Amino acid sequence: YESATARPNNQRDIRLTGCREDGCCRVEVNVEGMWGTICDQGFQAASAAVVCRQLGCPAVGEVVRRFGRGAGRIWMDGVQCSGSEARIQNCPSNGWGRHDCTHDDDVGVCCQNMCGVPPPPPEPQEGDDEYDENDPEHRKRAEIPPPLPVRLTDCTATSHVGGCCRVEVQYNGLWGTVCDDGFSDTNAEVVCRQVGCSGGKSRPSFGGKPELAIWMSRVSCTGQEDGISNCKFDGWGKHDCSHYHDVGVCCNPGCSAQDEGVVR
C-alpha cells in the first residue's frame, strides 16, 4: 500500500458530485489538476468518515457502493483508512491510478445531515448582465456550451502533404479518445473545422494509447456544430470500445493542426 501524500497539489483536492436527494454523493479527488473517482473495493465507514471530516463535516459517514458512473481517471482503489487521517489522500491504497475497477464501482458517501453537498447554481435573474430572457441569441448561446479542446495526434504525415490523425478531446482536464462506432465523415468534417482544417474523412480503427480514457462513443453530428463535443453521443466515458477502435480523421493538406501538439 502507498500513501497519496507522494503527489500533493495546492488545489482543493476533494469534492462530492452527482448528489442524490438523500444527500449521498460520489467522491472525487484531484491529482495534479485532474479530477477522478475512488473505487469502492475495501472502502469502509472509517474511510467515509475521513472524507466527511475533510469536507468540514462531522467525522461520520455511510458508504454507498457502486454509487454510479463518474468520468475520468479512477485515482484510488483499496483505500483503507484508520479513521484518524486528515485527508483521504493520506490513507493507504493501491497507489495512484492502480486499480482493477470500472466506473460502475465508483464509491459514494453520505455525510450527516447532507453536509458537504454542494449548493445548486443560482438561478439567473432578469436584468443580469449575463442573462436576458428576451434575447433569443442569448438563449441559443446559453443552451450550447463552447466546444471542448480537441487535438490531432500520431498523424501519418505532416501538414504539407496531409495525413490521418487520431482524434483526442479534453474533458475534465484529461485528454481521451473517441470510439469509431458510428463515426461518419460528417463528424470528421466537424473535427477538421474545429482545428482549423478543411475537408474531413473518418478513419475507423486508427488505434490509440491504453493510458488514455475513451471519452466519446456513437458520436452523431449534423455538421453545423462548432466542435465535436457539441455533437450527440452516449455520454462522457460511456462506451463499449477498446483503444483499437479509437477513431482518426483525415483532413485536407495545408493544415497546421496535423503537426503534433496543436490544440484548438
Side-chain angles (χ1 to χ4, degrees):
Y1 284 91
E2 299 181 6
S3 169
T5 55
R7 292 171 70 178
N9 64 72
N10 295 322
Q11 304 180 33
R12 183 168 183 253
D13 52 11
I14 191 168
R15 68 183 182 186
L16 300 181
T17 65
C19 298
R20 306 184 315 206
E21 292 184 359
D22 60 2
C24 300
C25 313
R26 182 171 50 253
V27 183
E28 297 185 359
V29 292
N30 189 314
V31 179
E32 296 179 351
M34 293 183 288
W35 289 100
T37 61
I38 299 176
C39 181
D40 61 12
Q41 293 181 10
F43 201 95
Q44 303 295 332
S47 300
V50 171
V51 168
C52 294
R53 181 192 298 117
Q54 187 173 349
L55 291 165
C57 304
V60 180
E62 297 179 13
V63 178
V64 181
R65 304 193 184 281
R66 299 178 68 84
F67 178 85
R69 293 179 62 88
R73 297 289 297 270
I74 299 175
W75 277 130
M76 302 181 76
D77 184 19
V79 177
Q80 295 187 7
C81 302
S82 68
S84 62
E85 297 87 354
R87 304 165 65 244
I88 193 71
Q89 291 89 340
N90 295 344
C91 298
S93 72
N94 292 349
W96 290 117
R98 298 179 182 176
H99 65 86
D100 58 358
C101 306
T102 70
H103 279 300
D104 289 330
D105 303 306
D106 289 344
V107 78
V109 302
C110 318
C111 300
Q112 274 191 348
N113 300 319
M114 302 181 69
C115 181
V117 175
E123 292 290 333
Q125 300 296 317
E126 184 177 357
D128 286 354
D129 291 339
E130 298 181 356
Y131 181 76
D132 181 357
E133 66 179 5
N134 297 315
D135 179 0
E137 285 302 313
H138 176 86
R139 289 201 301 271
K140 181 178 179 181
R141 291 193 300 271
E143 292 169 359
I144 304 176
L148 296 180
V150 162
R151 66 185 181 188
L152 303 181
T153 64
D154 287 345
C155 299
T156 58
T158 66
S159 60
H160 301 292
V161 296
C164 301
C165 316
R166 182 174 55 254
V167 180
E168 296 181 4
V169 61
Q170 189 183 60
Y171 172 69
N172 205 23
L174 182 68
W175 286 102
T177 61
V178 179
C179 180
D180 62 12
D181 281 358
F183 201 93
S184 66
D185 288 347
T186 299
N187 298 347
E189 290 171 2
V190 171
V191 171
C192 292
R193 185 172 65 246
Q194 183 177 356
V195 298
C197 302
S198 62
K201 296 293 184 182
S202 174
R203 175 76 177 274
S205 302
F206 186 87
K209 298 177 180 177
E211 66 269 21
L212 296 180
I214 299 175
W215 276 136
M216 303 176 74
S217 181
R218 295 185 176 87
V219 179
S220 177
C221 303
T222 66
Q224 303 301 312
E225 296 86 355
D226 292 331
I228 192 70
S229 62
N230 296 133
C231 299
K232 294 181 179 179
F233 63 104
D234 280 355
W236 294 110
K238 296 181 179 179
H239 65 88
D240 56 0
C241 301
S242 69
H243 280 295
Y244 175 80
H245 293 287
D246 286 345
V247 79
V249 298
C250 310
C251 304
N252 288 342
C255 173
S256 62
Q258 292 169 321
D259 298 324
E260 296 293 327
V262 176
V263 178
R264 302 292 173 89

